Amino acid sequence: MNKSRDPHALSAPFNIDPAYSAAKLVPDAAGLSLLSEKKTGPFWIYLFGDIAAHLFGRMRHEAFSICKNLFHPGEFRNFRPTMYAKRTFNLPELPASAMIKLFCSGHAILKINGQSFFSREFPQKPESCDIDILPYLKKGDNEIRLTLQCLGEPAAFLIQGELAETDSQWMVSSDSVNWAAPDFIPFEGFSRFPHQEDLPELTLNAKHLGDGIYDFGVETFGRPMISVKGQGDLTMNVGESIPEARDDKFDSQEQLIPPLRFSGGTYECGATLSLRYIHLAHPESLKIVDVKLAAPLYPTRYKGAFACSDETLTDIWMRAAYTLKLCMRWLCVDGLKRDRLPWGGDLYMSGLVNNYSFHDKGLMQRSLIALYGDGPETLDVNNIVDYSLFWILALRDNVMHFGDMLFLKRVRPLLERLLKALESRCDSNGFIPSAEGVWVFIDWSEVEKAGYSSCIQMLHVMALDAVAEIYRAAGETVRSDDMLKKARRLRKKCGKAFWSEELSAYVDNIVDGRQGSHVSRPANIFAVLSGTADHRKMKTVAKGVFLNDEVKAVGTPYMRTFEALALMRCGETDAMLSIIRDDWGGMVRAGASTFWEGYDKSQTGVEIYSFYERPFAKSLCHAWSAGPVYLLSRMLTGVKPLAPGWERFTLSPDIGGLGWASVSIPCPEGEILIDIEGSLVSVNVPAGSVFVEGDRVGAREHQGPCIVKMKRKGVNRMSLS
């Protein structure tokens, strides 16, 4: 084994990201409070969830103004315009002076020890006010209270001052009755409130390919700027592909392109567009000097890395990570061209990928809160039953990968509401009828969903297992055990209800008490991933369904990722790797820089870009297609957190026919480096983590920092997490 193998160095030559860095955030995040990792105050104070709700509103407004065929159902959270805040502090002696500096928006009223002494209207941008609070203080315990009433934006404030600085001791409420901890946003400057921040921009340059086509080299996102000389009219169209850029028919366009603005020799587009190519038409009297893009990018660094003996897989990992990176805005969105907004199932897949690449905690937490909605008792996440279940899985992953127990405490009331809503829909068997949801999605493929969908029941099993893990992480072992028992009962009923001996597979549904006769890949995928299928049946469905070309293919790379996971669970590692080479590699061979919303290898020519019966509706940068990052980093190593924040972890590598694999797994304390070659495994355990080697009986524990050398034995097929 090569002792010096570095996955970051080995994967860097395959990078296609113009803002790539494994060492620092790019673009520079200086001055952005929302991206700050500071641990000390003062902090901006918000009601929990309000900043995520406001950002969601901003993003929905932009998406609906630019995306022509946008469909984004759901009832989402809104921010609250009124905030009550309070903090107590003790003064053994009165100080000689006590000045505070208040920054806020809206109308502010201050009280100390029940006495109202300050009332003022603040503008919708940070403006400070110096306030002397000494006359209202007393020896012993003191209480300061602030009431904010805002219009059109969330309430937010910050206080600097030795006695009442905004720190973790503050409590907030929207009704002055129910008090809770606020959202704390580190202070990085007064130019604007955190919820008003914009993403930093990089300037990208296009290459002229001839015949009016300009190429930025990769999929990207931004505002085109065209410098010109001479006179004449300029028209512009953009596309994720050259055919789309050339097609200027209004009905074919997926994005609304506003008229170009001309100033100082430059035409500029006022909208942020998803594109790789620009097509420009103009008379000979007008000369193009250069074509640039002002690209707003979410500051990231590649904390995770993957490289292996198959360069095709290393290349695909990097493209998959870049696919997710472009879909990282202030919230994690499904795709750039359409819909540019969060969806629950997409978010779960994005979380799986983020956990092993950029490891951005705040992005996922904001997205979880924004998507939750105000009424899970009547409406699912995005109106989709399976997306409510995926929301629970995504929450579990966030807890285990980042170990933010304060976030879990804040979000627990939302989780409990959702669990109660799901339970209210269940029949006496614990099954959720399809009629109890507005929409059962699963995938864009032929799956029977009437009556009782097997996919939904098995996803419910997975969600219950996830809740048990959440409770265990919170130290609630009794509730965790109860939830595990509930999951086992439902898993057993699923196995009995949906397995067909005649068909040697799991069927899609039950209608009027009778098994359906349709066998799809998704039903059998979730039978494997939920643990419903035992070892014998896993082998049966692997051969009879997953490796059987006569069974209709899944509809998207999203579900294809789940199928690859199921194959891995069935012991078919090389088949899983073949899927990545065939499907994601097929997109690369078709010219993809980022991965597409859908892929059908039978399609050729311009039809590869069509979707939803529209010629260019297919998103060519879709986060739910970034699954190879998870498949390669997580599944080949078998690495898994056993405690929140990777405080304890284990692994069971299986790299199939690969010669070697080298992986960096990001965690809160740094990175776990895993190198595998043949039967030899090296694990670099960071400080703050414990590597558990082996199974429960006779397991050895290694406290980091240390390097563990071992020989790979049998492979333990672990659950999806």
Side-chain angles (χ1 to χ4, degrees), residues 221-453:
F221 184 74
R223 302 187 316 280
M225 301 178 294
I226 303 103
S227 298
V228 299
K229 286 184 179 180
Q231 301 294 323
D233 294 330
L234 176 71
T235 60
M236 179 191 77
N237 195 39
V238 304
E240 294 181 305
S241 63
I242 291 179
E244 183 181 16
R246 288 195 181 281
D247 191 326
D248 59 0
K249 293 188 292 291
F250 182 81
D251 287 347
S252 301
Q253 294 172 348
E254 294 291 323
Q255 302 174 99
L256 287 170
I257 303 175
L260 298 176
R261 300 189 298 255
F262 183 74
S263 177
T266 298
Y267 284 95
E268 183 171 350
C269 179
T272 49
L273 303 171
S274 173
L275 57 94
R276 172 174 173 173
Y277 302 96
I278 290 179
H279 180 237
L280 299 177
H282 55 88
E284 291 185 1
S285 58
L286 188 72
K287 304 297 182 183
I288 306 298
V289 177
D290 59 43
V291 177
K292 298 180 181 294
L293 196 74
L297 295 172
Y298 189 87
T300 61
R301 71 178 181 91
Y302 287 70
K303 297 179 181 178
F306 172 86
C308 70
S309 54
D310 184 338
E311 292 188 349
T312 295
L313 297 177
T314 306
D315 177 62
I316 288 172
W317 191 101
M318 291 298 287
R319 291 171 189 266
Y322 181 56
T323 300
L324 175 66
K325 194 250 186 88
L326 286 181
C327 294
M328 297 167 73
R329 314 317 293 168
W330 284 123
L331 306 175
C332 200
V333 303
D334 62 335
L336 285 189
K337 183 166 66 180
R338 197 211 71 254
D339 298 317
R340 301 191 187 182
L341 289 169
W343 291 78
D346 306 60
L347 180 64
Y348 173 59
M349 183 61 66
S350 296
L352 293 178
V353 176
N354 172 67
N355 293 339
Y356 293 93
S357 52
F358 305 107
H359 205 249
D360 191 296
K361 178 178 71 173
L363 177 80
M364 301 310 298
Q365 291 182 349
R366 289 191 298 271
S367 301
L368 281 165
I369 294 303
L371 266 177
Y372 180 83
D374 284 326
E377 294 83 358
T378 56
L379 284 173
D380 286 294
V381 172
N382 298 116
N383 288 9
I384 302 174
V385 178
D386 24 325
Y387 281 18
S388 286
L389 299 169
F390 277 126
W391 188 93
I392 295 173
L393 296 176
L395 174 62
R396 182 275 312 276
D397 288 350
N398 191 267
V399 171
M400 297 305 293
H401 282 266
F402 297 99
D404 189 341
M405 304 313 289
L406 177 59
F407 176 74
L408 176 58
K409 181 179 179 180
R410 290 169 175 164
V411 84
R412 274 289 294 274
L414 306 185
L415 173 63
E416 301 297 341
R417 281 179 62 193
L418 182 53
L419 291 174
K420 186 178 293 186
L422 291 169
E423 186 175 3
S424 71
R425 303 180 185 185
C426 294
D427 66 8
S428 58
N429 288 314
F431 289 171
I432 301 174
S434 295
E436 287 293 320
V438 175
W439 184 5
V440 177
F441 172 61
I442 306 302
D443 185 34
W444 294 123
S445 60
E446 294 179 8
V447 181
E448 295 294 331
K449 304 167 186 176
Y452 293 89
S453 162

Side-chain angles (χ1 to χ4, degrees), residues 663-683:
V663 188
S664 168
I665 307 294
C667 58
E669 300 301 326
E671 61 180 348
I672 300 165
L673 292 172
I674 304 169
D675 200 274
I676 309 161
E677 186 171 345
S679 63
L680 301 178
V681 181
S682 173
V683 186

Side-chain angles (χ1 to χ4, degrees), residues 25-206:
L25 292 181
V26 179
D28 190 349
L32 293 175
S33 295
L34 276 173
L35 295 174
S36 175
E37 297 180 349
K38 284 172 53 178
K39 305 298 183 184
T40 58
F43 298 102
W44 291 103
I45 299 291
Y46 287 84
L47 290 165
F48 175 65
D50 273 16
I51 195 164
H54 178 77
L55 292 169
F56 198 4
R58 283 176 55 185
M59 293 173 62
R60 278 174 65 85
H61 178 78
E62 178 185 299
F64 274 91
S65 67
I66 295 175
C67 303
K68 286 178 56 180
N69 298 289
L70 183 58
F71 174 64
H72 193 252
E75 183 177 315
F76 304 106
R77 298 173 62 85
N78 202 354
F79 62 84
R80 291 148 291 185
T82 302
M83 183 204 297
Y84 303 91
K86 65 180 181 180
R87 188 196 191 284
T88 59
F89 54 94
N90 184 272
L91 294 176
E93 298 291 337
L94 288 176
S97 63
M99 297 293 296
I100 63 171
K101 188 182 292 289
L102 172 66
F103 294 81
C104 64
S105 64
H107 191 87
I109 299 174
L110 268 175
K111 291 183 180 180
I112 290 184
N113 298 323
Q115 184 175 355
S116 178
F117 68 96
F118 178 87
S119 177
R120 177 177 164 179
E121 187 75 24
F122 285 79
Q124 290 188 326
K125 62 179 181 179
E127 183 177 290
S128 67
C129 181
D130 294 319
I131 305 170
D132 183 6
I133 64 172
L134 183 60
Y136 313 101
L137 300 178
K138 62 181 181 179
K139 290 183 180 180
D141 290 333
N142 290 263
E143 182 187 65
I144 182 171
R145 287 195 177 224
L146 173 66
T147 300
L148 284 178
Q149 175 63 45
C150 297
L151 181 64
E153 63 179 342
F157 75 98
L158 179 142
I159 293 177
Q160 290 180 316
E162 186 175 341
L163 297 180
E165 182 174 89
T166 40
D167 57 17
S168 60
Q169 302 303 307
W170 282 81
M171 301 292 285
V172 295
S173 171
S174 61
D175 57 13
S176 76
V177 176
N178 299 291
W179 296 86
D183 270 340
F184 302 103
I185 310 298
F187 165 67
E188 291 288 357
F190 294 124
S191 61
R192 62 182 63 191
F193 293 109
H195 64 265
Q196 297 170 340
E197 291 177 352
D198 294 318
L199 293 176
E201 293 183 346
L202 288 183
T203 300
L204 306 180
N205 297 291

Side-chain angles (χ1 to χ4, degrees), residues 18 351 574:
D574 288 329

Side-chain angles (χ1 to χ4, degrees), residues 349-661:
M349 183 61 66
S350 296
L352 293 178
V353 176
N354 172 67
N355 293 339
Y356 293 93
S357 52
F358 305 107
H359 205 249
D360 191 296
K361 178 178 71 173
L363 177 80
M364 301 310 298
Q365 291 182 349
R366 289 191 298 271
S367 301
L368 281 165
I369 294 303
L371 266 177
Y372 180 83
D374 284 326
E377 294 83 358
T378 56
L379 284 173
D380 286 294
V381 172
N382 298 116
N383 288 9
I384 302 174
V385 178
D386 24 325
Y387 281 18
S388 286
L389 299 169
F390 277 126
W391 188 93
I392 295 173
L393 296 176
L395 174 62
R396 182 275 312 276
D397 288 350
N398 191 267
V399 171
M400 297 305 293
H401 282 266
F402 297 99
D404 189 341
M405 304 313 289
L406 177 59
F407 176 74
L408 176 58
K409 181 179 179 180
R410 290 169 175 164
V411 84
R412 274 289 294 274
L414 306 185
L415 173 63
E416 301 297 341
R417 281 179 62 193
L418 182 53
L419 291 174
K420 186 178 293 186
L422 291 169
E423 186 175 3
S424 71
R425 303 180 185 185
C426 294
D427 66 8
S428 58
N429 288 314
F431 289 171
I432 301 174
S434 295
E436 287 293 320
V438 175
W439 184 5
V440 177
F441 172 61
I442 306 302
D443 185 34
W444 294 123
S445 60
E446 294 179 8
V447 181
E448 295 294 331
K449 304 167 186 176
Y452 293 89
S453 162
S454 58
C455 293
I456 293 301
Q457 315 318 319
M458 295 166 185
L459 269 172
H460 193 190
V461 170
M462 295 167 66
L464 294 174
D465 281 334
V467 174
E469 197 166 358
I470 290 171
Y471 286 153
R472 185 166 63 249
E476 301 176 31
T477 55
V478 174
R479 294 194 71 184
S480 177
D481 290 344
D482 287 345
M483 198 60 66
L484 284 175
K485 291 176 184 176
K486 188 175 180 180
R488 281 195 292 268
R489 288 194 298 268
L490 184 57
R491 187 181 290 111
K492 185 176 181 180
K493 290 179 179 178
C494 286
K496 183 177 180 181
F498 298 106
W499 174 257
S500 170
E501 286 290 347
E502 179 184 356
L503 300 171
S504 296
Y506 292 91
V507 298
D508 283 356
N509 62 339
I510 294 174
V511 180
D512 297 329
R514 295 184 179 182
Q515 275 190 354
S517 59
H518 189 260
V519 172
S520 70
R521 292 175 184 264
N524 291 275
I525 289 169
F526 289 113
V528 171
L529 297 182
S530 66
T532 299
D534 60 23
H535 182 73
R536 179 183 69 84
K537 291 174 181 173
M538 287 168 64
K539 293 295 184 181
T540 299
V541 300
K543 181 179 179 180
V545 180
F546 305 146
L547 301 177
N548 183 358
D549 291 339
E550 294 183 4
V551 180
K552 189 172 179 61
V554 297
T556 60
Y558 165 67
M559 191 55 59
R560 193 66 159 152
T561 298
F562 289 123
E563 184 175 12
L565 289 171
L567 274 168
M568 188 78 178
R569 291 286 306 281
C570 294
E572 300 286 350
T573 301
D574 288 329
M576 183 271 278
L577 294 175
S578 292
I579 284 178
I580 299 176
R581 295 186 186 103
D582 291 346
D583 284 28
W584 282 270
M587 284 185 264
V588 173
R589 290 187 290 275
S593 59
T594 53
F595 294 124
W596 306 345
E597 181 179 12
Y599 175 67
D600 182 347
K601 59 185 176 183
S602 69
Q603 291 181 327
T604 58
V606 73
E607 70 174 336
I608 66 176
Y609 306 121
S610 65
F611 219 56
Y612 307 117
E613 299 181 348
R614 302 195 303 272
F616 301 108
K618 184 179 293 178
S619 162
L620 301 193
C621 179
H622 223 68
W624 78 4
S625 299
V629 167
Y630 180 79
L631 292 172
L632 296 170
S633 289
R634 159 69 172 88
M635 298 308 293
L636 291 186
T637 60
V639 69
K640 178 183 178 180
L642 299 176
W646 292 92
E647 289 183 0
R648 294 167 59 82
F649 71 93
T650 189
L651 57 84
S652 55
D654 178 9
I655 62 172
L658 295 176
W660 58 268

